[in-house]
Amino acid sequence: DETLDEGVQHVALCYGDRMTRGGWGSWGNTKRCLQDRGVDACRAKFAYDAGTDVDRADYSGETKGSSSYEVSFTCRVTRAGATAEETLGSMSVSCDDLQKCVGTWD
C-alpha cells in the first residue's frame, strides 16, 4: 500500500504483545505481524515493481526482552530479467509491550 509513508507506518500496524502464542513462543503475535508487514514496508520505501520483481525481507537480531521486542530486517530484490539480488536497505524495529512498533530505516 503506497499510501503508508515509506514503510514506517507498515510496521506501526503491529503492536508489542509479549504473551506466548502457540509454536511462536513469547512475543509470537508481534513477530508474526512484523514478518507479514516487512516486505510491504520494503515495497513502500523502495518503490520497485512488486508485480515482476522477486522480493523478500531477511530478519535478524531478534531480541526478546521482558517488556520489549526488537528485530531488524533487510530488504532484498531480484529485478525482472536480472540474476543478481540487490540489497536495498534495512530497518530496525522496536516494540514495547502493548504499544505500536516503531521502525527506523538504517
Side-chain angles (χ1 to χ4, degrees), residues 7 11 14 27 38 55 59 69 75 82 85 89-90 97:
V11 299
C14 300
W27 297 97
D55 56 353
Y59 293 82
Y69 176 87
C75 303
E85 185 176 64
S90 298
D97 195 24

Side-chain angles (χ1 to χ4, degrees), residues 4-13 41 44 91 101-105:
L4 297 180
D5 182 39
E6 292 190 339
V8 173
Q9 292 177 345
H10 279 280
V11 299
L13 296 173
M91 179 184 277
C101 295
V102 177
T104 305
W105 289 105

Side-chain angles (χ1 to χ4, degrees), residues 3-102:
T3 62
L4 297 180
D5 182 39
E6 292 190 339
V8 173
Q9 292 177 345
H10 279 280
V11 299
L13 296 173
C14 300
Y15 277 78
D17 177 3
R18 69 180 179 90
M19 297 300 293
T20 299
R21 295 287 190 258
W24 287 81
S26 64
W27 297 97
N29 287 343
T30 303
K31 179 177 182 175
R32 188 168 38 212
C33 183
L34 289 172
Q35 287 183 349
D36 288 345
R37 304 307 299 180
V39 170
D40 293 333
C42 293
R43 290 174 180 170
K45 172 70 172 174
F46 298 106
Y48 46 86
D49 186 347
T52 59
D53 298 337
V54 177
D55 56 353
R56 65 190 176 99
D58 286 342
Y59 293 82
S60 63
E62 180 183 59
T63 303
K64 296 178 179 183
S66 61
S67 62
S68 66
Y69 176 87
E70 295 179 1
V71 72
S72 296
F73 62 86
T74 301
C75 303
R76 303 188 194 281
V77 65
T78 304
R79 302 196 187 270
T83 55
E85 185 176 64
E86 296 176 51
T87 299
L88 301 176
S90 298
M91 179 184 277
S92 298
V93 183
S94 178
C95 311
D96 290 335
D97 195 24
L98 304 179
Q99 302 297 315
K100 285 184 179 182
C101 295
V102 177

